[in-house]
Amino acid sequence: MNLRQQAYFRDKLMRWKDAILVDAADTLSHLQVDSQREADATDRASSETDWSIELRTRDRQRKLVAKIDAALRRIDEGEYGYCEVTGEPISLGRLEARPIATMSLEAQERHERHEKVSREE
């Protein structure tokens, strides 16, 4: 992967991370403001369910930020864009679709087939 491509993916990853962090801050501020609004128990229960779903989403995004940070480290170390299983380059199309990818499409498919077989046993 050349330096221009690395810069492109670094920028893409940083913008993605920044967007996630902004959303997380918005969620936190809304949670603090809206937490005491509903006096009715039914409305409060509905709001709590909505916030539970939102917080689960934010937890998944927190894990995604860790994967983005790992991808940025791989760029710094010159390992970004190479499959961690085979060592072969990951296609640019795959990286464009999933910039945090650590495996080539073929290796990922083998991994998923293996997981499926393991679950079925």
Side-chain angles (χ1 to χ4, degrees), residues 27-86:
T27 297
L28 183 59
S29 68
H30 288 307
L31 183 59
Q32 290 170 342
V33 169
D34 293 343
S35 64
Q36 302 298 326
R37 283 201 177 164
E38 288 84 9
D40 182 11
T42 304
D43 290 341
R44 205 169 30 252
S46 177
S47 290
E48 287 175 8
T49 299
D50 291 345
W51 282 114
S52 175
I53 292 168
E54 183 68 26
L55 290 173
R56 278 196 305 259
T57 300
R58 293 296 162 230
D59 186 52
R60 283 193 301 273
Q61 289 184 333
R62 177 186 57 80
K63 294 173 184 172
L64 182 57
V65 167
K67 290 180 180 182
I68 291 170
D69 287 340
L72 291 167
R73 271 192 307 280
R74 287 193 307 277
I75 289 173
D76 292 340
E77 296 167 359
E79 297 172 1
Y80 184 78
Y82 293 95
C83 179
E84 66 182 13
V85 175
T86 65

